[in-house]
Amino acid sequence: MYFVANWKMYGNLSSLNTLNKVIKFSKSKAINKGRLIYCPPNTLISPLSKKFSNCQIAIGAQNCHENESYGPFTGFVNCKMLKNIGAQFVIVGHSENRKKGENDKLINLKIKSALKAKLKVIFCIGETLVEKRKKKTKSILSNQIKIGLKKVKNKSKIFIAYEPVWAIGTGIIPSSNDLIKTVQFIKSKFKKKFPKILYGGSVNPKNIKNLKEIDNIDGFLIGGASQNANKFIDIVKKTYS
Ligand code: PEP
């Protein structure tokens, strides 16, 4: 199982001290075969990569510019730059960025440039509450997958994170039935080998007991709860208990 911590726009150099216990935990048996991936803000990727140099925890960025090469794009960084400072993964298509105008075509370009830079991609998809109420979940997800992964060959480097927008940061999660059906639906979009599938949206140490029972989920994308090392460790431990 994969456990991806999305720190969003939180954290500074002193926050990295809280990860000492996560490093210790990552070397213990309690983690079983779990794989931890931390996605801090870009400002912390380099110091974090030094901190994690003696453990197996991977690092990801939270977004990237779509351009493969350098260019006059003030305030942005591309995947080559992220790779250079220690990122192995990048989150693409997060709903907080879609809300700010990122569309599926742009997300497709970002995915391609990430793969070119040899980053693995955590590709977020999900419907809004209005879309869910209008029973449009399947068509929204289909479109996001179809356009987002257009002409993307190497699906083994892609993780799809199903994150219903209405579940992010709200404390509400989908019913087990809905989640099972949606994960099955996502898998049905891929012919042979499908990408790994993560669930994200209000995962916490309480609801993980139900979430871990959902078939075909390869892991979790964890926002708010990942900013607290104890909660994050608890989520991993409870997945295996
Ligand atoms: C996220 O931002 O990807 C996320 C899942 O957030 P939260 O866990 O806080 O809902």
Side-chain angles (χ1 to χ4, degrees):
M1 289 284 239
Y2 292 81
F3 300 87
V4 184
N6 173 14
W7 268 14
K8 311 194 185 210
M9 201 173 73
Y10 293 98
N12 52 32
L13 284 174
S14 62
S15 327
L16 299 186
N17 296 330
T18 66
L19 296 176
N20 293 340
K21 48 177 100 163
V22 181
I23 293 174
K24 197 168 163 213
F25 173 68
S26 74
K27 296 175 179 169
S28 74
K29 277 193 181 150
I31 190 171
N32 201 335
K33 289 205 170 93
R35 181 91 212 270
L36 309 185
I37 301 158
Y38 264 82
C39 303
N42 286 348
T43 49
L44 296 178
I45 291 179
S46 190
L48 198 54
S49 105
K50 285 192 194 100
K51 198 170 175 80
F52 287 166
S53 61
N54 284 321
C55 70
Q56 297 293 315
I57 308 176
I59 297 175
Q62 297 174 14
N63 202 356
C64 60
H65 192 274
E66 66 278 16
N67 238 51
E68 284 161 25
S69 48
Y70 302 113
F73 303 106
T74 305
F76 292 93
V77 289
N78 68 14
C79 291
K80 205 155 61 170
M81 293 153 130
L82 294 169
K83 174 88 180 170
N84 184 250
I85 54 166
Q88 293 147 270
F89 288 79
V90 61
I91 297 174
V92 174
H94 194 284
S95 62
E96 285 154 12
N97 297 321
R98 289 180 186 263
K99 237 181 261 170
K100 298 205 86 178
E102 287 198 8
N103 60 27
D104 294 315
K105 275 191 180 164
L106 178 66
I107 290 163
N108 175 252
L109 294 176
K110 290 186 179 203
I111 292 176
K112 286 177 182 156
S113 87
L115 294 174
K116 265 226 159 117
K118 305 237 174 315
L119 292 180
K120 291 186 183 137
V121 176
I122 298 164
F123 169 36
C124 300
I125 58 172
E127 81 286 1
T128 63
L129 189 57
V130 173
E131 289 159 351
K132 177 181 162 62
R133 286 194 176 134
K134 288 188 179 160
K135 304 213 179 305
K136 284 188 171 168
T137 299
K138 284 186 179 173
S139 67
I140 294 292
L141 298 182
S142 287
N143 240 13
Q144 289 174 338
I145 292 170
K146 191 171 149 207
I147 305 172
L149 294 182
K150 193 168 178 186
K151 296 198 175 147
V152 172
K153 287 189 193 103
N154 204 350
K155 307 259 192 337
S156 67
K157 306 286 182 208
I158 308 275
F159 292 59
I160 291 196
Y162 171 55
E163 297 210 302
V165 181
W166 48 271
I168 295 179
T170 58
I172 304 166
I173 60 168
S175 70
S176 298
N177 243 352
D178 279 357
L179 194 48
I180 290 168
K181 280 188 201 148
T182 308
V183 171
Q184 263 169 4
F185 176 74
I186 294 169
K187 294 229 152 165
S188 75
K189 294 277 130 196
F190 298 91
K191 284 189 191 110
K192 289 183 206 148
K193 269 195 182 171
F194 24 72
K196 298 212 176 332
I197 301 195
L198 312 177
Y199 166 76
S202 295
V203 176
N204 64 38
K206 281 191 183 148
N207 59 29
I208 192 66
K209 284 186 190 155
N210 290 333
L211 288 169
K212 73 173 187 182
E213 302 299 338
I214 307 291
D215 265 359
N216 288 328
I217 283 186
D218 301 294
F220 302 97
L221 178 48
I222 305 155
S226 73
Q227 287 149 30
N228 177 315
N230 290 330
K231 282 190 186 168
F232 189 69
I233 290 171
D234 223 20
I235 289 172
V236 181
K237 272 190 187 159
K238 285 182 175 153
T239 302
Y240 295 113
S241 64

